[in-house]
Amino acid sequence: QAQQAQKVVLRAVLLSLRSLARPTLPLLFPPPHASTMPKGARRSVAPAPPVAKKPRGDPNLVGVREAIERADLPDNCRQMFLACFAKALGTPAVGAAQSAVVDMIGKVIGGVEGGLRAALDAQVTAVQSAEGAHGEAQSRAEAAAAAAAAASEASKAATVTLAETTKAMGDVRARAEEARAAQRKLDADLVKLTEKKAEKTAAVEALSADAGDGTAAQYEALLPHMEDAGMDESLRCALPAACKKVVSERTSFDIMVLESAGQCLKDKVASLASLIAEATQAAEQGAAAAKEAEGQHSAATEAQRAQAARLVEVQAAQKEAEAAAATAAKEATAATPQLEAAIKARDERAAELENFVAYNVGCFELLRDAKLETASAAAAGA
């Protein structure tokens, strides 16, 4: 269809050119007369046709010529338009053929203007696309920067939490060690009290068994147990002498001293039993406290380990977020020149269209409108 349309245009242009050329070619290029030919010249040799020159006179024709040269036309069609446009626009209207040529020139120039507008529209679309891509890149860069900042804060918080957890673990470990030391002391005290009670109990049993007919050596073995038995000082001083006497030689005072010693030992055994009960309870409480402290220490240790692992994860996420932020920033930076180039190209297209409309289209319209005015005046004069 495009080829057929071009053929139709070419036929119309050829017909118009022929109609315009017929009345003028004889005037522009008259045949040489025989009287004017130099002697000896050959009559059969025709003069060479003049070389086509660019139109002179009205400067508006230059703008029209430039517009035709820019048109997307077959070369032969363009050459025909260039050959006839000056005569079609630069001379008064002589008929429908000349008007048709002027209309076709207007369509050719309109096609150039339409192409420039299409190029501008395409560049406007390219700018919009570049602006969208630039905006998306900026949004990604901002989001990635915010994520990196949040990851940095999370890393700082995890570091602080790990330090606190480590300190708490150290405090709990110290308390657990103190509880274990206290438990060991309580256990040792309980063992000592138990052993001491057993010794006192044995002394009481020996004294009770040998009170009637014991020997002096047996009683003397009891003397070391009396130092902390709480016996009266005067009676305790008389105890060694009473212990050395045989039963037959003991006086009532000696017997009273020995009985008092036995009672003091019994009281001491009872006191030791009470202390052992208290020590046993304290040892049990100490064991429970040590166990609790050990559990707290284990829990604190696990918490510290978990927080250390959490810090490693957070720091890895921070590095990843910072890398993503750097990549997004580079993409946003790279999108800026593309947007600037698209805007520059759009402005150039707009300026080119504006210049074409103002100059080239303006030149054509001035010539066309002048022809219409001349034709109207001629019609009015007739």
Side-chain angles (χ1 to χ4, degrees):
Q1 293 179 356
Q3 292 179 353
Q4 293 178 357
Q6 289 178 359
K7 291 179 180 179
V8 172
V9 172
L10 290 174
R11 291 194 190 99
V13 172
L14 288 173
L15 292 175
S16 300
L17 289 174
R18 290 172 182 173
S19 64
L20 290 174
R22 284 193 188 100
T24 57
L25 285 176
L27 299 177
L28 291 175
F29 310 111
H33 194 269
S35 61
T36 61
M37 294 179 63
K39 294 181 179 181
R42 295 182 180 180
R43 295 178 180 270
S44 60
V45 178
V51 179
K53 298 182 179 179
K54 292 185 178 180
R56 294 181 181 179
D58 195 337
N60 291 323
L61 293 174
V62 178
V64 176
R65 182 181 184 87
E66 291 179 357
I68 295 174
E69 289 176 345
R70 294 185 61 171
D72 185 14
L73 295 171
D75 186 64
N76 55 354
C77 185
R78 181 185 296 105
Q79 293 302 322
M80 284 186 289
F81 274 114
L82 291 174
C84 72
F85 83 94
K87 190 171 188 62
L89 292 171
T91 60
V94 295
Q98 187 174 358
S99 298
V101 172
V102 172
D103 292 339
M104 284 187 288
I105 294 173
K107 292 180 180 179
V108 169
I109 296 176
V112 176
E113 180 182 353
L116 293 176
R117 291 189 183 279
L120 175 60
D121 293 340
Q123 196 57 41
V124 169
T125 302
V127 170
Q128 294 173 349
S129 177
E131 287 176 343
H134 182 265
E136 292 177 358
Q138 289 289 352
S139 299
R140 289 194 299 270
E142 293 173 359
S152 177
E153 292 298 324
S155 179
K156 292 178 181 177
T159 301
V160 173
T161 303
L162 177 60
E164 294 174 350
T165 305
T166 302
K167 183 178 181 300
M169 182 190 68
D171 295 341
V172 172
R173 181 174 60 242
R175 289 195 297 271
E177 292 176 353
E178 292 176 359
R180 286 192 295 268
Q183 179 188 7
R184 289 192 295 269
K185 184 177 182 304
L186 290 173
D187 292 341
D189 292 343
L190 179 61
V191 171
K192 291 180 180 178
L193 288 173
T194 303
E195 293 176 352
K196 192 171 184 179
K197 176 179 176 292
E199 293 176 357
K200 299 297 183 184
T201 301
V204 169
E205 293 175 353
L207 181 62
S208 299
D210 299 334
D213 54 355
T215 62
Q218 292 174 327
Y219 281 95
E220 288 178 356
L222 300 175
L223 294 179
H225 297 285
M226 305 307 301
E227 294 180 358
D228 58 348
M231 189 176 181
D232 182 75
E233 183 66 23
S234 58
L235 294 177
R236 190 168 67 84
C237 292
L239 182 60
C243 288
K244 293 179 181 180
K245 294 179 180 179
V246 296
V247 176
S248 59
E249 295 178 356
R250 294 173 182 166
T251 63
S252 58
F253 177 75
D254 295 331
I255 295 173
M256 186 269 294
V257 170
L258 293 173
E259 290 177 353
S260 176
Q263 186 60 45
C264 287
L265 287 175
K266 292 178 182 179
D267 294 341
K268 184 64 176 176
V269 170
S271 176
L272 289 172
S274 177
L275 292 175
I276 289 173
E278 295 176 359
T280 301
Q281 184 178 2
E284 292 175 353
Q285 293 176 352
K291 184 177 181 180
E292 181 181 0
E294 189 65 29
Q296 292 176 353
H297 177 248
S298 298
T301 301
E302 290 298 324
Q304 192 269 347
R305 291 175 180 172
Q307 189 58 38
R310 171 62 179 165
L311 178 59
V312 172
E313 294 177 357
V314 170
Q315 288 176 341
Q318 179 186 1
K319 291 181 179 179
E320 183 178 354
E322 290 175 349
T327 301
K330 290 181 180 178
E331 292 177 353
T333 302
T336 299
Q338 297 176 359
L339 175 60
E340 293 175 350
I343 293 174
K344 181 181 178 182
R346 179 201 62 189
D347 295 342
E348 291 175 351
R349 296 287 185 276
E352 184 180 11
L353 174 61
E354 182 180 359
N355 293 334
F356 183 82
V357 172
Y359 175 62
N360 301 97
V361 177
C363 290
F364 170 75
E365 290 177 348
L366 285 174
L367 293 172
R368 180 198 61 189
D369 296 342
K371 286 180 66 61
L372 292 176
E373 292 175 0
T374 302
S376 298

